[in-house]
Amino acid sequence: MRSKHLYILLLFFTQCEEKSLDIRDFPRIETTDFKLMPAGRVIFFGKYLVAGKSDVIDHGFTWSETTFPTIENSAKVSLGNLANPSTFEGEVIDEFIKGEKYLVRAYAVTSDYTVYGQYLSFTLPEDNNLLEVTSLAGSIKGYADGLGESAMFDSPSQIAIDADGSVIVADKNNHRVRKITRSGEVSTVAGGAQGNSDGTGINASFNFPTGVAIDAQGNIYVGDTGNNVIRKIATNGSVKTFAGSSSNAPSNENGTGTSARFNAPGHLSIDGFGNIYVVDTGNKQVRKITPAGEVTSVFRSLNSLVGIASDKTGNIYVSSFSNKIEKISNTVGLTTILDNQADLPYGLAVDRSGNIYVANTNSSTIGKIDLIGAYTVALGKISSTPSFMDGPALQAIFNSPESVAIDALGNLFVADTKNHKIRVAK
């Protein structure tokens, strides 16, 4: 619901105390409207009620999550000077968190004072009716760094979002870990030829890496599936084995660091304390690795576990190809929160409100479990043949997506595995 206040707040600052200002000198402006658009865009509209006698050296819109945003202490979009004051509009992309309330108002600056229009309130909805799915990077199957569609992946699996909003990708069949900036520039973080060697950057090697997760310091952890180990990529690009060993047969031994054993570790999740949770797929277990490298078993299942995520309260969620989503809670223990509604669910993600997103590999859709446990399809055309098409949330087409991730703004990123692309819905 839009909240439009009926007054215009005028603030002015003089650069010289001796200068006398007349109210008729001020421009007077109004914040007239806003429009929520697909792809995380918001367009603001304003107009001049009175042009004033002083030249406008800057004008635009400023916004905040608190009352009365100002250009000194709030975000803004500047439209520059204005020779003939009239109506104006400003577009802002990827600045607002879905579900948060914001206040926005127009402003105009002259050499002597700043004036503001009344403020409007708006909230970028968390629902999917405004979401538009586009391709961030990738094209045909292959390997190439580059911008957008000039880059290539080969069966990307788990993805994670770093502090800068870049997407980290476990590029499974290329045996590499890749990075995509917000502008779509793709580079290789680590990995080269298939193998099992530590090193720095492309001098290190992986063997079908499936999982990635990022800690608070920016270190990347990799579920190096074919090598049965968890690797750590430090912020300087150096790669070392963090837990597990490939020198012995796969097993489920607990221990510290390389004394522990895994069997085809896959997707990962990191909680607020820096603990890493591993889907140990060959052992049908969830394993926990402390920041010190101590490995223990958290949960054992009869089902084929594949995906994992954690929420801000420390709950762990796991998916299995038995079409179950299960929750591991410190207080309640193990509960099933979804049974036979997902369709070969793989990757999981939890948004800031606690909604859970599920990558369905068989139906090629992204499902959503809301706070009361209701399940809906959030992305992807239902009952479509797996293929590729960008478009509105429920018209876009995916092909066996294996992972979903959510950035700080609430945008959904999808590893569209068999299309060899990373897609985004915002």
Side-chain angles (χ1 to χ4, degrees):
M1 180 70 66
R2 300 177 181 178
S3 173
K4 296 189 177 182
H5 290 243
L6 300 178
Y7 59 87
I8 296 178
L9 179 67
L10 298 178
L11 298 179
F12 61 93
F13 304 93
T14 61
Q15 294 179 337
C16 177
E17 292 183 358
E18 293 79 7
K19 187 171 184 177
S20 177
L21 297 176
D22 189 307
I23 189 71
R24 292 171 295 182
D25 294 334
F26 310 153
R28 280 184 281 165
I29 59 175
E30 180 180 18
T31 316
T32 56
D33 205 356
F34 61 85
K35 187 175 183 181
L36 305 181
M37 304 291 289
R41 297 162 52 219
V42 181
I43 301 176
F44 302 122
F45 300 90
K47 70 177 180 180
Y48 282 81
L49 301 174
V50 176
K53 297 181 180 181
S54 298
D55 291 339
V56 173
I57 59 177
D58 186 27
H59 74 298
F61 299 90
T62 181
W63 62 88
S64 173
E65 295 176 65
T66 60
T67 305
F68 301 136
T70 67
I71 59 174
E72 288 82 9
N73 60 18
S74 304
K76 68 176 182 177
V77 55
S78 172
L79 303 176
N81 58 18
L82 192 65
N84 298 301
S86 58
T87 60
F88 56 98
E89 63 183 68
E91 182 179 46
V92 181
I93 303 174
D94 284 349
E95 290 290 340
F96 305 108
I97 300 172
K98 293 180 176 65
E100 286 291 314
K101 180 181 177 180
Y102 291 89
L103 302 175
V104 62
R105 55 183 178 169
Y107 73 86
V109 180
T110 73
S111 59
D112 297 305
Y113 37 77
T114 300
V115 297
Y116 294 91
Q118 85 281 16
Y119 70 79
L120 308 179
S121 67
F122 73 96
T123 300
L124 207 61
E126 294 181 289
D127 294 334
N128 302 306
N129 56 345
L130 281 173
L131 295 183
E132 186 85 8
V133 177
T134 58
S135 295
L136 178 64
S139 52
I140 61 173
K141 179 171 70 173
Y143 169 72
D145 288 337
L147 180 65
E149 292 185 351
S150 66
M152 291 187 285
F153 300 90
D154 189 349
S155 303
S157 191
Q158 191 174 21
I159 55 177
I161 312 297
D162 71 11
D164 295 327
S166 296
V167 184
I168 304 300
V169 184
D171 193 4
K172 181 171 52 180
N173 289 357
N174 277 324
H175 313 291
R176 292 172 168 89
V177 175
R178 316 283 291 282
K179 176 181 178 178
I180 313 171
T181 65
R182 293 178 64 175
S183 63
E185 187 70 39
V186 179
S187 59
T188 298
V189 177
Q194 181 180 6
N196 180 29
S197 60
D198 291 340
T200 300
I202 60 174
N203 295 316
S205 58
F206 301 94
N207 188 4
F208 295 103
T210 304
V212 287
I214 306 165
D215 68 14
Q217 291 72 45
N219 302 300
I220 301 170
Y221 295 85
V222 182
D224 193 358
T225 309
N227 284 322
N228 300 309
V229 297
I230 307 301
R231 315 285 289 283
K232 177 181 178 179
I233 307 175
T235 54
N236 65 0
S238 66
V239 180
K240 293 184 178 180
T241 299
F242 185 67
S245 174
S246 59
S247 60
N248 301 93
S251 70
N252 61 354
E253 296 173 33
N254 292 323
T256 301
T258 57
S259 67
R261 299 289 180 269
F262 297 90
N263 188 352
H267 281 202
L268 312 176
S269 182
I270 298 181
D271 68 14
F273 301 99
N275 299 303
I276 306 165
Y277 292 89
V278 183
V279 177
D280 194 0
T281 57
N283 287 319
K284 297 183 178 180
Q285 292 185 25
V286 172
R287 313 285 291 280
K288 175 183 176 181
I289 312 174
T290 68
E294 182 181 356
V295 180
T296 56
S297 296
V298 175
F299 168 61
R300 187 187 302 270
S301 176
L302 297 176
N303 301 315
S304 299
L305 303 177
V306 284
I308 192 165
S310 56
D311 64 22
K312 60 186 177 182
T313 62
N315 297 309
I316 307 298
Y317 303 88
V318 291
S319 63
S320 72
F321 281 161
S322 300
N323 292 332
K324 291 181 182 289
I325 309 296
E326 295 173 293
K327 176 181 177 181
I328 307 168
S329 167
N330 290 328
T331 56
V332 180
L334 180 68
T335 55
T336 298
I337 61 173
L338 195 70
D339 193 1
N340 286 323
Q341 288 179 275
D343 195 358
L344 293 185
Y346 207 129
L348 302 173
V350 184
D351 70 14
R352 63 198 307 269
S353 300
N355 301 298
I356 303 165
Y357 290 85
V358 184
N360 292 305
T361 57
N362 193 50
S363 64
S364 294
T365 58
I366 304 300
K368 176 183 177 182
I369 307 170
D370 68 16
L371 300 184
I372 62 172
Y375 177 82
T376 56
V377 172
L379 302 176
K381 189 174 182 179
I382 302 172
S383 300
S384 66
T385 301
S387 181
F388 168 79
M389 185 170 71
D390 285 336
L394 298 180
Q395 296 299 314
I397 300 176
F398 300 89
N399 192 349
S400 299
E402 288 188 6
S403 181
V404 59
I406 304 169
D407 71 6
L409 299 176
N411 299 313
L412 302 180
F413 294 80
V414 179
D416 193 0
T417 305
K418 290 190 177 179
N419 277 325
H420 313 289
K421 296 175 180 286
I422 305 302
R423 317 273 292 278
V424 59
K426 58 184 181 179

